[in-house]
């Protein structure tokens, strides 16, 4: 759908002669987004989201505005105590995802400020990134034949950092060269999102998949504000945008270190399996403790 959206916006802008008018193209894009979002969300909200019973009840004495934060806190403590490898993976996810999300914002600024891209040309760049990400999904699958998911994730992040450093060093005026790097970033993005989801699914204990997948989404967004803030602060301080762009490498470097501290992939799998076994043992003991008084009462009952 993103590809279709970009193609429609660029196509209409080109047909109307707005390719060099950034303001007109931005208004067109926002108008199309508003109409489509309003229509589909309206249908979904009014027709598809029917009444359903609550999945859980608010505990007594708790407030709806704070219960979510308390739940995240308890989940984080549980991860730190009982799921060490998963905790380091979430740390890597927080830093790598924040830098990757900021990359799209920064390369847009880079292309407009240094290369004088129009909004339509920036749309073409986004289209190249999206289409190239499909190739990255296949590279992710191929990498698992040679590497563990952890090492594949590390290689992907290092590659993205390397391409970013090369682009900052060599892309000064050539638009064609920048489009080439956009394809490289797209490949790394598709590779990264695929391998991270595969890694998360395999090392999350099966009895906690809903809770910990929610934590996966949470940690993927928790630092999304930081890289753009660092980039903006450097840019406003008068530092070259090419050097400011390199600030993303710090976040990717920390992510690679966190993945290294995770240890071997086999250990992460073993921790997940042990967590499931421990939970099953607790459930069995609880069931036996409940059944034992009932059996005593039956034996003591007068015949």
């Amino acid at each position: 759908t993103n590809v279709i959206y970009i193609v429609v916006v660029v196509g209409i802008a080109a047909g109307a002669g707005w390719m060099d008018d950034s303001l007109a193209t931005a208004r067109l894009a926002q108008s199309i987004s508003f109409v489509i979002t309003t229509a589909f969300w309206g249908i979904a909200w009014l027709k598809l989201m029917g009444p359903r019973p609550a999945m859980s009840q608010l505990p007594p004495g708790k407030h709806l505005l704070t219960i979510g934060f308390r739940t995240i806190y308890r989940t984080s403590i549980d991860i730190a105590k009982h799921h060490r490898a998963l905790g380091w993976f979430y740390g890597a996810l927080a830093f790598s995802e924040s830098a990757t999300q900021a990359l799209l914002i920064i390369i847009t600024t880079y292309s407009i400020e240094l290369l004088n891209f129009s909004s339509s040309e920036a749309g073409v760049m986004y289209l190249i990134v999206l289409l190239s990400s499909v190739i990255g999904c296949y590279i992710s699958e191929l990498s698992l034949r040679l590497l563990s998911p952890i090492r594949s994730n590390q290689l992907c992040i290092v590659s993205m950092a390397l391409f970013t450093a090369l682009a900052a060093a060599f892309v000064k005026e050539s638009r064609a060269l920048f489009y080439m790097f956009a394809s490289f970033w797209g490949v790394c993005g598709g590779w990264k999102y695929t391998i991270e989801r595969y890694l998360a699914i395999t090392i999350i204990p099966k009895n906690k998949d809903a809770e910990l997948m929610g934590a996966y989404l949470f940690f993927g967004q928790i630092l999304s504000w930081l890289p753009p803030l660092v980039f903006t602060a450097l840019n406003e301080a008068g530092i070259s945008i090419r050097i400011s762009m390199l600030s993303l490498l710090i976040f990717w470097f920390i992510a690679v270190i966190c993945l290294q501290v995770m240890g071997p992939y086999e250990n992460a799998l073993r921790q997940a399996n042990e967590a499931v076994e421990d939970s099953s043992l607790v459930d069995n003991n609880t069931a036996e403790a409940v059944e034992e008084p009932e059996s005593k009462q039956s034996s003591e009952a007068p015949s």
Side-chain angles (χ1 to χ4, degrees):
T1 55
N2 288 335
V3 173
I4 296 174
Y5 172 72
I6 293 175
V7 169
V8 169
V9 172
V10 173
I12 294 177
W18 297 339
M19 290 294 288
D20 295 326
D21 191 341
S22 299
L23 180 59
T25 305
R27 288 173 174 172
L28 172 65
Q30 289 296 323
S31 299
I32 294 176
S33 176
F34 173 77
V35 171
I36 294 177
T37 303
T38 302
F40 282 94
W41 269 107
I43 294 173
W45 188 267
L46 297 175
K47 300 295 184 181
L48 302 180
M49 296 184 181
R52 52 166 291 178
M55 297 295 294
S56 60
Q57 297 294 328
L58 186 67
K62 305 299 182 182
H63 198 281
L64 189 61
L65 295 177
T66 59
I67 188 63
F69 296 101
R70 291 177 178 272
T71 302
I72 287 292
Y73 173 76
R74 289 196 300 268
T75 301
S76 301
I77 295 299
D78 180 67
I79 292 173
K81 288 183 177 180
H82 305 110
H83 310 286
R84 176 182 173 275
L86 185 62
W88 284 111
F89 169 69
Y90 282 160
L93 177 69
F95 284 96
S96 67
E97 185 67 9
S98 64
T100 304
Q101 291 178 6
L103 177 64
L104 291 176
I105 302 173
I106 292 174
I107 63 176
T108 302
T109 306
Y110 191 99
S111 63
I112 294 174
E113 295 292 331
L114 293 186
L115 304 178
N116 297 319
F117 271 31
S118 66
S119 57
S120 299
E121 290 172 326
V124 173
M125 179 191 67
Y126 276 114
L127 183 61
I128 292 174
V129 171
L130 288 173
L131 293 177
S132 301
S133 65
V134 177
I135 301 175
C137 296
Y138 288 101
I139 292 179
S140 174
E141 180 182 0
L142 293 175
S143 68
L144 292 177
R145 300 179 183 179
L146 303 174
L147 303 169
S148 72
I150 296 177
R151 301 296 170 251
S152 176
N153 198 1
Q154 286 180 310
L155 179 60
C156 171
I157 295 174
V158 169
S159 300
M160 186 174 293
L162 177 62
F163 291 137
T164 302
L166 291 175
F170 295 106
V171 178
K172 300 177 181 179
E173 298 179 355
S174 175
R175 298 186 178 188
L177 187 60
F178 194 76
Y179 283 137
M180 182 186 72
F181 277 105
S183 66
F184 293 156
W185 285 318
V187 169
C188 291
W191 180 0
K192 176 180 179 296
Y193 290 124
T194 304
I195 198 65
E196 283 179 346
R197 280 159 177 75
Y198 175 84
L199 183 55
I201 290 172
T202 54
I203 66 174
I204 286 179
K206 301 305 179 185
N207 59 330
K208 295 184 177 180
D209 49 356
E211 176 187 0
L212 295 181
M213 278 305 295
Y216 171 87
L217 299 176
F218 172 78
F219 283 102
Q221 300 294 326
I222 191 173
L223 293 180
S224 59
W225 55 274
L226 186 55
L229 178 62
V230 173
F231 174 80
T232 302
L234 294 174
N235 197 31
E236 292 297 322
I239 298 175
S240 169
I241 190 174
R242 296 166 61 194
I243 297 178
S244 301
M245 187 176 177
L246 297 177
S247 63
L248 296 178
L249 272 63
I250 299 173
F251 297 89
W252 283 322
F253 175 76
I254 296 175
V256 171
I257 296 300
C258 290
L259 289 172
Q260 186 65 33
V261 179
M262 277 184 68
Y265 176 62
E266 293 73 16
N267 290 353
L269 288 178
R270 185 172 63 251
Q271 289 180 22
N273 294 330
E274 289 175 353
V276 175
E277 293 173 358
D278 292 342
S279 177
S280 300
L281 182 60
V282 171
D283 292 341
N284 292 335
N285 291 338
T286 302
E288 292 175 359
V290 172
E291 292 175 358
E292 185 176 354
E294 294 179 352
S295 61
K296 288 184 177 180
Q297 291 177 3
S298 301
S299 61
E300 294 175 356
S303 57

